[in-house]
Amino acid sequence: NCLRKLTHKIENANKFQNFVMITVVISSVSLAFENPLVDPKSNATYYLTMLDYITTWIFCFELVIKVIAAGFLFNG
């Protein structure tokens, strides 16, 4: 129950919501730059792939926070 209250507090924090929205924008822009014609071994492809991994982990963290806050896990 304490964990659920904490995650609910995090989920409703403006900083968390803004961070997630900025991450969505960054992810969208990086997807717009991806091109199948670019050399897969180029630096641009490497950095876009790393950015994709980072944003995916951030979205997974957001999912876990929201699942716990909604009471689907650890609801006591």
Side-chain angles (χ1 to χ4, degrees), residues 1-75:
N1 203 8
C2 181
L3 182 62
R4 186 171 175 203
K5 287 180 183 179
L6 176 65
T7 55
H8 187 67
K9 190 175 185 180
I10 292 170
E11 179 189 23
N12 291 325
N14 284 335
K15 288 182 181 182
F16 180 74
Q17 293 174 359
N18 290 339
F19 178 71
V20 170
M21 292 307 294
I22 289 169
T23 305
V24 169
V25 170
I26 290 171
S27 177
S28 300
V29 170
S30 71
L31 285 173
F33 278 113
E34 288 184 8
N35 184 350
L37 302 176
V38 176
D39 179 23
K41 295 181 181 179
S42 70
N43 282 339
T45 303
Y46 172 77
Y47 288 120
L48 287 172
T49 302
M50 288 299 113
L51 190 58
D52 187 38
Y53 288 143
I54 292 168
T55 54
T56 299
W57 280 107
I58 291 170
F59 292 142
C60 288
F61 176 72
E62 176 197 14
L63 173 75
V64 169
I65 292 292
K66 290 189 176 202
V67 164
I68 294 172
F72 293 121
L73 289 176
F74 306 114
N75 59 4

